[in-house]
Amino acid sequence: MLEKYRHIIWDWNGTIFDDVDLGIEIINRLLSERNLPNITKEKYKNIFTIPVKDYYAKLGFDFEKEPFEVVGKLWIDEYERRKYECSLYEGVPEVMEKIRSVSAEQSILSAYSQRTLEEMAKHYGVDKYCSHIVGLDNIYAAGKLHLGLELLKKIGNGNGGLLLIGDTLHDYEVAKAMGADCILLSTGHQSKNVLQKAGVKIIDDIRELTNG
């Protein structure tokens, strides 16, 4: 599946890093504290979107009473305290190693903060596979389109040969802007029903990338 690509660009949250359940647990605590209804995993995956401010609005947060910057920081502070409770998806190191063995370059492109992204990639041992690790300079996950275009300047678009692997429609939008192909994972932050709107290949297990 990957032989024709010279550079594989990975999303982090929900693609390499299995943090969906933690994210839901934290948002449900914030909802409960504001007497708002909790959310199931199924509903979460159907309404989550980037920028995450729009997703918070769908959940009923009132930004006139409590600015998004306040409630968003509450979420990220709890996430940062607990992020190492999560792990990589099964098969991630093996898949990245197989990609490296065929001499394709790899990078991580994320709407996560740059410093923490670098720390976590190193902690989980995947930084060694990456030519570039690119994140945001803030904590509010407003999007990464501009980051993708900056990364494109570094890796070049050449004759194509770029693939972005992610778990959201935003990843598809970034891939399209970069002139990259896109594969989406249904195991992350958006459901397969949502991802089908992109009209690209969807897989249910990251190991499908290098099997067969």
Side-chain angles (χ1 to χ4, degrees):
M1 187 184 296
L2 303 180
E3 290 81 2
K4 65 179 180 178
Y5 297 108
R6 64 177 177 83
H7 205 114
I8 311 295
I9 303 159
W10 296 93
D11 171 56
W12 176 257
N13 302 90
T15 301
I16 289 177
F17 193 59
D18 183 4
D19 62 354
V20 176
D21 290 338
L22 176 61
I24 296 170
E25 183 180 337
I26 296 170
I27 202 68
N28 276 335
R29 182 177 65 79
L30 294 176
L31 289 167
S32 294
E33 290 172 354
R34 288 153 184 81
N35 296 313
L36 292 168
N38 275 201
I39 190 171
T40 63
K41 188 172 185 176
E42 180 181 10
K43 184 174 181 182
Y44 170 81
K45 289 177 62 113
N46 280 320
I47 71 168
F48 178 80
T49 190
I50 293 175
V52 296
K53 183 176 181 179
D54 295 343
Y55 147 68
Y56 276 60
K58 290 179 183 179
L59 291 174
F61 289 94
D62 185 344
F63 300 140
E64 291 187 2
K65 294 181 179 178
E66 185 177 33
F68 167 68
E69 289 75 15
V70 173
V71 69
K73 188 173 188 306
L74 291 173
W75 187 94
I76 199 68
D77 285 349
E78 181 69 10
Y79 180 91
E80 289 302 311
R81 283 193 289 270
R82 299 180 57 189
K83 61 183 181 290
Y84 290 114
E85 296 176 15
C86 302
S87 62
L88 302 180
Y89 282 101
E90 288 189 20
V92 166
E94 292 81 5
V95 169
M96 296 184 85
E97 181 61 44
K98 285 182 180 179
I99 292 171
R100 182 166 68 173
S101 72
V102 297
S103 300
E105 288 191 90
Q106 300 175 76
S107 292
I108 294 173
L109 175 67
S110 176
Y112 198 20
S113 68
Q114 177 74 37
R115 180 184 59 80
T116 314
L117 181 63
E118 291 174 353
E119 289 175 358
M120 296 190 75
K122 183 175 182 179
H123 176 84
Y124 288 98
V126 295
D127 59 321
K128 63 187 176 185
Y129 299 112
C130 296
S131 303
H132 305 280
I133 296 175
V134 181
L136 285 175
D137 60 0
N138 63 75
I139 64 172
Y140 295 111
K144 59 185 180 185
L145 180 57
H146 64 295
L147 297 178
L149 297 177
E150 286 298 315
L151 176 60
L152 189 60
K153 293 177 183 177
K154 297 175 181 177
I155 63 178
N157 53 8
N159 297 315
L162 305 180
L163 173 67
L164 193 153
I165 302 168
D167 70 310
T168 67
L169 292 178
H170 183 60
D171 290 310
Y172 165 69
E173 293 165 356
V174 174
K176 189 175 180 181
M178 295 179 70
D181 289 348
C182 185
I183 294 175
L184 297 174
L185 282 153
S186 66
T187 47
H189 289 275
Q190 289 185 327
S191 70
K192 183 177 284 189
N193 285 339
V194 172
L195 297 178
Q196 285 172 342
K197 297 174 185 176
V200 299
K201 184 176 182 62
I202 300 170
I203 59 175
D204 302 317
D205 189 309
I206 204 165
R207 290 167 288 197
E208 294 178 43
L209 290 167
T210 52
N211 287 346

